[in-house]
């Protein structure tokens, strides 16, 4: 049965360095989250806890959907400053007089994708040290794996990928991260996006302290002022260019097959097994939510994969 916990306040003697899975989600992704959890129960050969952070208003839905599951539920409001969320007044106006909501924009908070980014950066509230693997709701695993498949045998991992051609969006986020961290301009030929993404709790603590020292205010206040941001870019640039830990291990490949567009989606679900065997280092698939594919449509392919294992 799923549990609910309040974020821990890390103490100076905390010593838990075990792996933690972390997923920010919300009601529109609940069916995908259920598929993710099913794939984890089938394929994960470890004992790491999985914490799922959802809006307070969605907790009841997730309790019901995950009633036979052993993951842990927390509210996003326990991790993210409430100023990131719309006020009750704004929500009421947006619901009943949507055309006038723009007049109250200062009460609108931030978009859900920004809130999820802050939740990821504050997953450090759940533990003092050790790796945190972020699993998006639109991810599912397709083969047996354990902690060693995702983490290095030595040191601490930062995923840093240099594609043949980098996107303009990633370039903008890397440049923006350097500006936020008050670093000189540099290369934008790489990014730190990965599924799962690997964050180190102690480095998240260091990042928060560094932002507060640079900007002389709480780190969430610093990010509240940002219109666009990438949590992974901020984290990756900070770790690699500011923190520079001696035991850093760079991992230069992602762990997932990414279904970005209609052709890649069609190819995968026409013959999933052939795609899955192309690269034995891959352990999961991400069906990009922007494709707006109903979860029950690709659940059928997942059922076949689960049945063939």
């Amino acid at each position: 049965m799923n549990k609910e916990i309040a974020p821990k306040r890390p103490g100076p003697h905390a010593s838990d360095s075990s792996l933690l899975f972390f997923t920010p989600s919300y009601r529109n992704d609940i069916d995908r989250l259920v598929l993710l959890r099913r794939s984890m129960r089938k394929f994960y050969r470890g004992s790491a806890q999985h914490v799922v952070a959802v809006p307070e208003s969605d907790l009841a839905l997730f309790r019901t959907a995950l009633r036979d599951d052993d993951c842990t539920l927390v509210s996003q409001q326990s991790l993210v400053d409430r100023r990131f969320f719309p006020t009750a007044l704004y929500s009421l106006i947006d619901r009943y007089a949507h055309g006038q909501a723009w007049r109250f924009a200062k009460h609108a908070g931030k978009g859900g994708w920004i809130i999820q980014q802050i939740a990821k950066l504050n997953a450090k509230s759940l533990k003092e040290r050790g790796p945190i693997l972020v699993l998006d709701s639109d991810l599912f695993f397709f083969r047996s794996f354990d902690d060693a498949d995702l983490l290095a045998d030595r040191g601490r991992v930062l995923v840093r990928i240099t594609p043949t051609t980098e996107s303009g969006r990633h370039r903008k986020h890397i440049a923006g991260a350097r500006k936020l961290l008050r670093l000189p301009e540099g290369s934008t030929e790489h990014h730190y996006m990965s599924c799962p993404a690997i964050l180190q709790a102690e480095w998240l603590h260091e990042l928060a302290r560094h932002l507060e020292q640079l900007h002389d205010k709480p780190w969430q206040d610093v990010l509240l002022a940002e219109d666009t941001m990438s949590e992974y870019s901020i984290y990756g640039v900070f770790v690699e260019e500011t923190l520079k830990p001696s035991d850093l291990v760079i991992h230069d490949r992602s762990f997932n097959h990414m279904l970005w567009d209609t052709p890649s989606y069609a190819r995968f679900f026409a013959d999933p097994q052939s795609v899955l065997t192309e690269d034995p280092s891959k352990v999961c698939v991400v069906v990009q939510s922007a494709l707006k594919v109903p979860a029950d449509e690709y659940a059928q392919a997942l059922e076949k994969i689960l049945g063939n294992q």
Side-chain angles (χ1 to χ4, degrees):
M1 180 175 292
N2 64 76
K3 308 178 288 296
E4 292 181 35
I5 62 172
K8 301 176 183 176
R9 185 180 297 275
H13 304 296
S15 60
D16 181 12
S17 59
S18 60
L19 172 66
L20 176 74
F21 290 111
F22 180 75
T23 300
S25 192
Y26 77 124
R27 64 177 59 213
N28 287 8
D29 280 345
I30 195 166
D31 291 338
R32 293 174 171 81
L33 190 280
V34 169
L35 290 176
L36 164 60
R37 286 298 306 161
R38 185 169 179 209
S39 72
M40 292 184 73
R41 291 195 301 272
K42 174 74 174 181
F43 295 123
Y44 178 49
R45 300 293 179 256
S47 58
Q49 182 185 24
H50 187 183
V51 176
V52 179
V54 304
E56 284 178 348
S57 58
D58 293 348
L59 278 170
L61 289 174
F62 277 81
R63 288 190 201 107
T64 300
L66 301 170
R67 59 185 174 275
D68 297 322
D69 206 315
D70 62 354
C71 65
T72 299
L73 293 174
V74 299
S75 73
Q76 291 178 1
Q77 281 83 348
S78 68
L79 297 171
V80 181
D81 190 291
R82 288 185 179 264
R83 287 174 297 168
F84 283 87
F85 298 86
T87 65
L89 173 63
Y90 179 86
S91 297
L92 191 66
I93 294 171
D94 189 47
R95 182 175 182 180
Y96 293 105
H98 179 72
Q100 297 301 312
W102 64 272
R103 299 178 183 275
F104 302 87
K106 68 179 181 179
H107 301 289
K110 296 289 187 178
W113 69 94
I114 295 290
I115 291 171
Q116 290 193 7
Q117 290 187 53
I118 303 301
K120 294 173 193 176
L121 292 175
N122 205 24
K124 63 183 177 55
S125 296
L126 303 169
K127 66 202 314 283
E128 174 71 8
R129 57 177 57 86
I132 300 169
L133 267 67
V134 180
L135 310 175
D136 289 338
S137 298
D138 51 6
L139 176 156
F140 64 84
F141 293 94
F142 63 82
R143 71 168 177 85
S144 294
F145 72 101
D146 58 24
D147 299 354
D149 288 305
L150 302 171
L151 302 172
D153 293 333
R154 68 188 193 287
R156 291 172 288 182
V157 176
L158 177 67
V159 178
R160 183 187 194 273
I161 298 172
T162 305
T164 303
T165 302
E166 185 55 282
S167 73
R169 183 183 64 176
H170 284 314
R171 290 181 187 277
K172 181 179 179 180
H173 285 323
I174 294 292
R178 288 204 182 95
K179 182 177 180 180
L180 182 71
L181 294 164
R182 296 181 179 171
L183 292 168
E185 294 182 2
S187 172
T188 58
E189 298 293 333
H190 58 278
H191 65 263
Y192 301 96
M193 300 289 294
S194 176
C195 300
I198 302 176
L199 306 175
Q200 202 73 25
E202 54 268 47
W203 294 346
L204 288 172
H205 287 292
E206 292 285 353
L207 171 59
R209 284 191 286 267
H210 186 70
L211 286 173
E212 291 177 352
Q213 290 170 358
L214 280 180
H215 297 272
D216 196 27
K217 57 184 175 181
W219 70 271
Q220 290 201 29
D221 285 4
V222 175
L223 298 181
L224 184 64
E226 295 294 303
D227 293 326
T228 60
M229 55 175 273
S230 162
E231 74 282 49
Y232 298 132
S233 297
I234 296 169
Y235 172 83
V237 168
F238 168 73
V239 169
E240 191 169 21
E241 300 185 24
T242 298
L243 194 59
K244 301 178 181 178
S246 60
D247 59 349
L248 177 65
V249 175
I250 298 293
H251 186 87
D252 61 2
R253 301 184 69 189
S254 185
F255 305 100
N256 67 287
H257 290 286
M258 177 65 76
L259 308 186
W260 282 108
D261 52 20
T262 301
S264 62
Y265 174 84
R267 176 174 176 260
F268 176 81
F269 286 115
D271 186 5
Q273 288 300 331
S274 66
V275 175
L276 297 180
T277 56
E278 288 177 357
D279 187 343
S281 69
K282 306 293 188 185
V283 298
C284 59
V285 172
V286 175
V287 182
Q288 188 73 356
S289 57
L291 288 175
K292 301 187 183 302
V293 177
D296 57 359
E297 183 175 320
Y298 67 80
Q300 298 177 28
L302 178 56
E303 292 292 341
K304 293 179 182 177
I305 294 169
L306 292 169
N308 289 336
Q309 296 292 321

